[in-house]
Amino acid sequence: MKFRFAIYLLALCCALPAAACTDGEHGRKEGGKGSGNNDTDSRPYSEKMFVKRQGDDLYISAKMDRSTDIVYWFKRCMFNELYTFYRVGIIGNNDAVPTNKPETQPEVVLNLAYSDNIGPFAVAGCGWCGANHKYMERTARTAYNEGYAVFMDGNRIDGDLAVTAGQVEIEVENVILDPSRPYRNAAGEEELRDVLCRESVRYRINRNNIEVAASHRFCNPTPVTIAIYYGMQSMFEGETHLFTPAGAYGDWTPAADVSTFNKGQYPQFRRYLEKNTKAYQSTYLLPDGLGDHSRLGDNDIVFINASYGKSYHKLIADKSMKEGDQINWRGIYTWFVSPLADDTELLCYEGIADGRTAIFIDCKKACKRDLKLPSYLDARKYEVLDSYSRVQVTADGRHTLKISADAAGGSVLLLKK
């Protein structure tokens, strides 16, 4: 099995069939004002993670801030036992290094994959397949995990271990079965055997972030209609409020009052945030691949919030797929306890995107602000990864951003390495 799979090859389009989808290059602009050397203060805590592998269970701990650790548990889970992040939580820790017991039960659970976090497909007239779904919601599985590999700082690791690492990557191969072609087995029960598509997922873990890159290569010789594909989802525990930058909910809104909105109404929407009484979660769909929402019509729903703490990015509606077709998307989950700002005008928080420190800026309304950054962040030079509406950001010295917006809007900035 190839673990360096299609996600890494999408940029080499000559190696793929003409029908393949490729990651687009999103435009980046140089920003920032002023110049200086590359010196920066160090964080007051370690940026290294502690990794423990015990059989198929992979545990990771990292500093979220000076007094809080985030802990991850990857394993085979959900009904179809696909390999993904099962539990994300936080624990108190005043040490400058993360706990060496990442398997510890979190004091606060933030995300729990008792349902889907990487989405399934709904095939028109045939039900759901993949992730947590049974065939026609009965007993037969609709997917299985073919294998996975773990890499730390670029090196593949096998067997049990307990070590520190700067970055962890997990490459997963799943098979999604075709619900349009059920079979009767010897016991007279329905089961699925034919492959709808091969699902390749790369999870890249850096401190308080998981970047997901997913691709699907369809194998069904008879076309099927994908009625719905949600792709990136969240299972955030205990949510009280949601905020959808560039969407219908432009400030923190009680969860009970949040439902859906359409692509045509909010064409720039790609990120939503949830919070509970202890922490925040950001679920950010990057603008390339399916993140451009080209497989949705203007009247299609682009965001959904369910009543039980689950929210969805919708990526496909009523599109025919057949053997040889390929799709892909990327997204970033970010968890944090203390935002850089969260008030009536502005939400700002730190994460990681494309392997670099990212500053997420969301103006909830027209405002002019000076944002003071922590001493370990240097604002003097950056790139704009993504933006919506009209927001101007410039650096004023090493640790201050000047933010000006004539209406609600935002940017995602990548700081220099």
Side-chain angles (χ1 to χ4, degrees), residues 324-378:
D325 290 340
Q326 298 195 33
I327 56 174
N328 66 92
W329 60 267
R330 293 190 301 143
I332 302 170
Y333 295 90
T334 301
W335 293 269
F336 55 99
V337 172
S338 300
L340 300 174
D342 187 7
D343 53 44
T344 58
E345 293 182 332
L346 181 69
L347 173 68
C348 183
Y349 58 99
E350 179 191 352
I352 293 176
D354 284 352
R356 295 168 60 181
T357 297
I359 303 297
F360 295 81
I361 299 170
D362 293 300
C363 297
K364 301 174 184 178
K365 58 184 179 182
C367 65
K368 289 187 177 181
R369 294 282 295 272
D370 286 355
L371 179 67
K372 187 73 172 179
L373 299 179
S375 62
Y376 54 79
L377 296 180
D378 188 339

Side-chain angles (χ1 to χ4, degrees), residues 106-136:
E107 295 166 10
V108 180
V109 173
L110 300 180
N111 198 98
L112 193 63
Y114 57 86
S115 185
D116 316 309
N117 55 15
I118 304 300
F121 293 91
V123 176
C126 304
W128 292 91
C129 56
N132 195 48
H133 287 274
K134 309 169 186 176
Y135 172 61
M136 301 301 284

Side-chain angles (χ1 to χ4, degrees), residues 17 33 101 107 160 162 165 177 194 206 234 253 267 283 285 287 294 404:
K33 180 179 67 176
K101 296 182 178 179
E107 295 166 10
D160 294 353
L177 299 171
D194 295 338
N206 284 101
S234 69
T253 305
T283 307
L285 181 68
S294 60
S404 177

Side-chain angles (χ1 to χ4, degrees), residues 152 222 305 321 334 349 367 397 407:
M152 295 195 320
T222 302
N305 176 58
M321 307 296 284
T334 301
Y349 58 99
C367 65

Side-chain angles (χ1 to χ4, degrees), residues 49-83:
M49 300 179 288
F50 191 85
V51 183
K52 182 178 287 188
R53 183 174 183 178
Q54 298 175 333
D56 283 334
D57 294 310
L58 183 69
Y59 303 99
I60 302 168
S61 59
K63 298 301 297 181
M64 179 180 278
D65 58 30
R66 184 63 181 85
S67 59
T68 311
D69 285 4
I70 187 166
V71 289
Y72 305 98
W73 181 8
F74 282 78
K75 69 169 190 170
R76 289 189 173 96
C77 59
M78 302 179 292
F79 175 77
N80 289 299
E81 298 188 329
L82 305 186
Y83 201 86

Side-chain angles (χ1 to χ4, degrees), residues 207-218:
R207 296 200 329 271
N208 62 323
N209 302 262
I210 299 177
E211 181 176 317
V212 180
S215 71
H216 295 84
R217 305 177 300 284
F218 283 83

Side-chain angles (χ1 to χ4, degrees), residues 64-258:
M64 179 180 278
D65 58 30
R66 184 63 181 85
S67 59
T68 311
D69 285 4
I70 187 166
V71 289
Y72 305 98
W73 181 8
F74 282 78
K75 69 169 190 170
R76 289 189 173 96
C77 59
M78 302 179 292
F79 175 77
N80 289 299
E81 298 188 329
L82 305 186
Y83 201 86
T84 186
F85 56 99
Y86 171 65
R87 187 182 69 196
V88 181
I90 54 177
I91 61 173
N93 178 16
N94 290 318
D95 293 340
V97 296
T99 178
N100 61 3
K101 296 182 178 179
E103 70 276 18
T104 299
Q105 173 69 31
E107 295 166 10
V108 180
V109 173
L110 300 180
N111 198 98
L112 193 63
Y114 57 86
S115 185
D116 316 309
N117 55 15
I118 304 300
F121 293 91
V123 176
C126 304
W128 292 91
C129 56
N132 195 48
H133 287 274
K134 309 169 186 176
Y135 172 61
M136 301 301 284
E137 307 308 324
R138 296 170 188 161
T139 58
R141 69 179 182 179
T142 60
Y144 60 88
N145 175 243
E146 193 171 63
Y148 68 94
V150 180
F151 300 84
M152 295 195 320
D153 298 327
N155 300 308
R156 178 168 174 165
I157 62 170
D158 295 292
D160 294 353
L161 51 74
V163 295
T164 59
Q167 179 176 281
V168 178
E169 291 189 1
I170 306 165
E171 298 179 355
V172 179
E173 286 281 353
N174 299 318
V175 174
I176 312 297
L177 299 171
D178 188 349
S180 72
R181 297 175 60 83
Y183 291 83
R184 291 277 179 186
N185 60 25
E189 299 169 332
E190 289 180 312
E191 63 178 45
L192 303 183
R193 303 174 189 169
D194 295 338
V195 177
L196 176 68
C197 62
R198 303 186 68 85
E199 179 179 70
S200 300
V201 189
R202 182 197 66 210
Y203 300 93
R204 178 181 292 162
I205 303 96
N206 284 101
R207 296 200 329 271
N208 62 323
N209 302 262
I210 299 177
E211 181 176 317
V212 180
S215 71
H216 295 84
R217 305 177 300 284
F218 283 83
C219 306
N220 51 304
T222 302
V224 300
T225 297
I226 303 299
I228 300 171
Y229 175 54
Y230 287 128
M232 194 178 192
Q233 308 177 56
S234 69
M235 292 295 300
F236 189 64
E237 291 284 289
E239 70 175 16
T240 60
H241 293 76
L242 288 94
F243 173 31
T244 60
Y249 306 97
D251 200 347
W252 291 112
T253 305
D257 298 331
V258 176

